[in-house]
Amino acid sequence: MPMTEEVYQMFRSLVENRPTDLPEVIVKGYAGFLIRDKDGMPEVALHWELRFLHAVKRYNDIYKIQMPSITPHVCRHTYCSNQARARMNPKTLQYLMGHSEISVTMDVYTHLGLDDARDEIIRLKELEDARKEINNIERDTMRSMESQFKYI
């Protein structure tokens, strides 16, 4: 996945500040895990799901409007939807998501709604208006040129 400079710096900080007193763990041939638990084992999805669960619970305990249950995997759906909304090329998005089929990217991970459809219709109307304006300018320019040539 592409990352912003801020995300890169965060990962760089994780690498630079990794504990050096823990033994290196190799899992299925991989080592150098960025985030490890208190026993030095790599953190797994369950660790992050519990963090998300805790954060949502704390938020919902404080605020009247409740936050729905979220998981780290939901972030993949959010990323995909946001990139589609930003008009990223669907095949590029499919590649970045690691999907073998475009239908998975577009039908399972991309969640667009009525507001997105409305915005797209407005965008298409604006595009059509711009095309008409360009055509009018071109037509007026041609007429002007034709009238100049009649007098030569």
Side-chain angles (χ1 to χ4, degrees):
M1 294 283 180
M3 66 178 84
T4 64
E5 179 63 25
E6 292 85 5
V7 171
Y8 171 78
Q9 292 301 328
M10 186 267 316
F11 279 120
R12 185 176 173 157
S13 176
L14 284 171
V15 170
E16 290 170 355
N17 297 310
R18 283 183 56 201
T20 57
D21 59 339
L22 297 174
E24 192 61 61
V25 177
I26 300 174
V27 178
K28 296 185 179 179
Y30 293 97
F33 294 97
L34 294 177
I35 303 172
R36 301 192 287 172
D37 66 17
K38 63 182 175 8
D39 299 321
M41 296 302 294
E43 290 201 356
V44 295
L46 180 59
H47 290 99
W48 292 97
E49 286 178 26
L50 292 174
R51 281 191 182 98
F52 275 58
L53 182 68
H54 177 71
V56 169
K57 182 179 178 343
R58 284 195 62 193
Y59 178 92
N60 288 342
D61 287 347
I62 297 169
Y63 297 100
K64 185 176 182 178
I65 297 177
Q66 300 290 287
M67 182 183 293
S69 176
I70 56 173
T71 65
H73 186 76
V74 168
C75 295
R76 284 182 52 81
H77 289 260
T78 302
Y79 172 82
C80 192
S81 296
N82 287 345
Q83 296 311 312
R85 195 170 284 116
R87 294 181 182 82
M88 179 182 278
N89 179 292
K91 291 302 282 184
T92 301
L93 184 54
Q94 175 192 350
Y95 174 79
L96 291 173
M97 294 296 294
H99 297 149
S100 60
E101 298 290 330
I102 190 71
S103 61
V104 173
T105 306
M106 301 311 291
D107 298 337
V108 177
Y109 278 79
T110 303
H111 307 284
L112 302 179
L114 180 60
D115 288 342
D116 301 296
R118 185 197 72 234
D119 292 346
E120 187 67 11
I121 289 170
I122 290 169
R123 187 184 73 77
L124 290 173
K125 172 78 170 96
E126 289 170 350
L127 182 62
E128 181 60 27
D129 291 347
R131 283 188 185 133
K132 287 179 183 176
E133 186 175 340
I134 289 170
N135 287 341
N136 288 340
I137 290 169
E138 288 175 347
R139 185 189 65 236
D140 292 346
T141 301
M142 288 301 292
R143 285 182 182 162
S144 174
M145 291 173 63
E146 288 171 356
S147 67
Q148 288 175 1
F149 283 119
K150 288 181 183 177
Y151 295 108
I152 296 179

